[in-house]
Amino acid sequence: ASLAAPAAHATTFQDTLGDQLGGGAAFDIDTFSVAIDGSDFVLSASMADTINPLSTERFVFGVDTGAATQNPNFPTGVVFNTVFANLGANGTLCAGGVGTFQISGNTVTGRVAASSLPAATNGFTPVDFRFSLWTQLPGVAGVSATVNEDFAPNNGTIRAIPEPATWAMMLLGFGGAGAALRGARRRRQAAALA
């Protein structure tokens, strides 16, 4: 699948325009969506204006795999247990980041393998993972602090929705499991009657 096109069935969050704390409209999040495509998460975000690749501002993606706690430096409800991508305005992924990302015009798109994220905990499965995106203006050592400019969602996280092909495979799997259980029950009943 092309990184330029968002997944067809995604959970999409529409952010309030003009709510960023600093920076320009290029770092004011308009929409953020997450979908599951096979064993990958497909992420897409659009900004209110074209992203200048020479800007020092960044796009930061976090995920809650079941182990998140509220960080006092973030708005209530923005929870994540790991940052998996810290992306420069020029599309460069910081060291330790995972996935492949592309910036074009006012859109940031990416694809991240579920296996490259921390293991699910506390009963979560990858379908339960919750994602956050925020834009950030890095601070200058000894001069200014890092400023988190805009969050999507503002007070929470969004979950991915499986693609239709994934749903079809899950339904086939459930059907197969049901057929196997019915067959086992029939064999037990036949043995009991014999």
Side-chain angles (χ1 to χ4, degrees), residues 50-96:
T50 302
I51 300 164
N52 178 352
L54 300 178
S55 174
T56 60
E57 293 174 272
R58 310 194 65 73
F59 302 94
V60 185
F61 294 87
V63 64
D64 173 12
T65 61
T69 57
Q70 179 67 50
N71 182 322
N73 298 319
F74 287 83
T76 301
V78 177
V79 294
F80 56 94
N81 57 291
T82 193
V83 168
F84 64 89
N86 188 331
L87 186 68
N90 63 359
T92 303
L93 194 59
C94 285

